[in-house]
């Protein structure tokens, strides 16, 4: 079996009316959500699929560099390919590699997890991830709805200032039982121009939050401030999580080994691939901390991460992020229909856990027609208007840069 074609297929779900979301220090406007489907075709008719980094640079790298490198190779030899490129292109390659592994596993009649480490369990615990820019009562209602869906935990993104964030967490706790997990994701929400929280404010807020027992506080500091994370973790009682913006393996190793966090996070499909993910898991195990997947795209991303996660015990790889979108009127944030429609059937969630599919490869059927239903629209997917100092920034699907400007030009700001 030989690879005949490699494609990075971008998709967009625009909003007819952009969604304005005021926060402490400015206004965020959500314009659309993007996704990438990676498709690896072979001469035997077997196709491998994976989620990919949803931005134009990655699509170009797949077309111009990665595809030509892989064409003519046997997917079963994926461990020996030895692709070499600059770091960001290497990350794109490792996302494509997931689709190659899918094709190889299908050819062997095995699940992907059997090829990459050996399945040690048949399910993985999920937390429902939603909660963006609402009054306290909105978060409380959403938390109760997520709990009613059977998820054991809920991740929210407070953005209301220190006092408002505390009120939001208290309202969520009041709406849920004490044992229900509450994760506070602070990336971007606690850095708001002149109104950004100081380290002292963050330490005090963490102490004030302790009575409502958040499961963790995620990225309360700039991700590259490892020394700040080490001091914060030592100075207050709450568990700290970070990792989704680490640039390379050395940075992950420092985050784990320098006692910066209680939970290390990673998007294994887009931050370095399965082999690197395994090494991050092993580092977490040696340090006695736990791992939680970052999964913020489609359900294909969720199941791909799970295929790797179930190769490890829950004492090491504990959580799988399950993004909740309000598709079909369900509880969750804005609609993102391709996140569900990329699969022909929904994933099986039981008692708050993803029950792993037993079909060969990645275990799910892909609806390739979604690519035609959701044509890609270039440009950033959300824009931040900061009050002070006045500034307009934007975010696209490339996590290798913090911001783009409102016209989509890359910025290091």
């Amino acid at each position: 079996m030989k690879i005949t074609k490699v494609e990075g297929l971008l998709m967009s779900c625009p909003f007819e009316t952009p969604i304005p979301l005021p926060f402490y220090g400015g206004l965020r406007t959500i314009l659309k959500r993007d996704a990438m489907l990676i498709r690896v075709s072979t001469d035997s008719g077997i196709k491998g699929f994976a989620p990919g980094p949803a931005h134009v640079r990655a699509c170009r790298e797949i077309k111009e560099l990665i595809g030509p490198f892989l064409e003519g190779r046997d997917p079963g030899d994926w461990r020996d390919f030895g692709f070499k490129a600059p770091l960001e292109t290497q990350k794109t390659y490792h996302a494509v590699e997931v689709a190659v592994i899918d094709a190889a596993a299908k050819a062997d009649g095995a699940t992907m997890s059997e090829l990459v480490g050996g399945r040690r369990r048949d399910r993985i615990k999920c937390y429902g991830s939603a909660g963006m820019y609402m009054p306290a009562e909105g978060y409380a209602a959403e938390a109760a709805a997520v709990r009613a869906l059977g998820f054991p935990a809920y991740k929210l993104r407070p953005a209301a200032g220190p006092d408002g964030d505390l009120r939001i967490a208290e309202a969520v706790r009041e709406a849920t039982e004490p044992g229900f997990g509450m994760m506070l994701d602070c990336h971007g929400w606690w850095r708001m121009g002149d109104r950004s929280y100081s380290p002292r404010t963050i330490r005090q807020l963490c102490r004030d939050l302790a009575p409502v027992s958040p499961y963790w506080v995620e990225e309360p500091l700039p991700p590259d401030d490892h020394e700040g994370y080490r001091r914060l973790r030592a100075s207050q009682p709450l568990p700290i999580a970070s990792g989704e913006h680490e640039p390379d393996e050395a940075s992950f190793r420092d985050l784990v080994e320098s006692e910066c966090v209680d939970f290390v996070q990673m998007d294994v499909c887009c931050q370095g691939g399965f082999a690197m993910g395994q090494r991050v898991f092993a580092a977490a195990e040696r340090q006695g901390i736990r791992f939680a997947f970052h999964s913020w795209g489609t359900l294909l991303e969720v199941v791909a991460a799970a295929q790797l996660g179930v190769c490890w015990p829950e004492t090491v790889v504990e959580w799988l992020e399950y993004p909740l979108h309000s598709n079909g009127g369900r509880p969750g944030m804005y609609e993102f229909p391709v996140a569900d429609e990329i699969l022909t059937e929904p994933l099986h969630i039981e008692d708050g856990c993803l029950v792993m599919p037993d079909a060969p490869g990645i275990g799910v059927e892909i609806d390739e027609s979604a690519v035609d239903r959701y044509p890609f629209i270039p440009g950033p997917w959300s824009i931040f208007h900061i009050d002070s100092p006045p500034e307009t920034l934007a975010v696209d699907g490339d996590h290798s840069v913090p911001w783009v400007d409102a016209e989509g030009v890359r910025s290091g700001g």
Side-chain angles (χ1 to χ4, degrees), residues 77-94:
D77 297 332
W78 60 273
R79 294 178 181 85
D80 303 321
F81 288 165
F83 180 80
K84 301 296 182 184
L87 177 61
E88 296 308 327
T89 303
Q90 194 76 33
K91 290 180 182 179
T92 304
Y93 171 77
H94 286 305

Side-chain angles (χ1 to χ4, degrees), residues 186-187 190-191 202 206 217-222 229 232 240-241:
C186 310
H187 169 67
W190 287 8
R191 295 192 293 285
I202 292 169
C206 286
V217 176
E218 180 175 331
E219 287 196 336
L221 295 167
Y229 274 91
L232 178 64
I240 301 297

Side-chain angles (χ1 to χ4, degrees), residues 248-308:
D248 53 38
E249 188 166 352
S251 185
F252 269 109
R253 188 165 58 250
D254 183 69
L255 184 74
V256 171
E257 295 175 355
S258 297
E259 300 184 342
C260 297
V261 294
D262 302 276
F263 291 88
V264 60
Q265 300 166 299
M266 179 183 179
D267 184 326
V268 294
C269 293
C270 296
Q271 276 184 280
F274 278 16
M276 178 175 156
Q278 297 270 41
R279 294 191 294 272
V280 172
F281 301 166
E285 183 178 37
R286 289 192 299 271
Q287 196 65 29
I289 65 175
R290 284 170 286 175
F291 181 90
F293 283 104
H294 175 262
S295 306
W296 189 238
T298 67
L299 293 185
L300 180 60
E301 181 179 329
V302 172
V303 73
Q307 287 284 356
L308 184 64

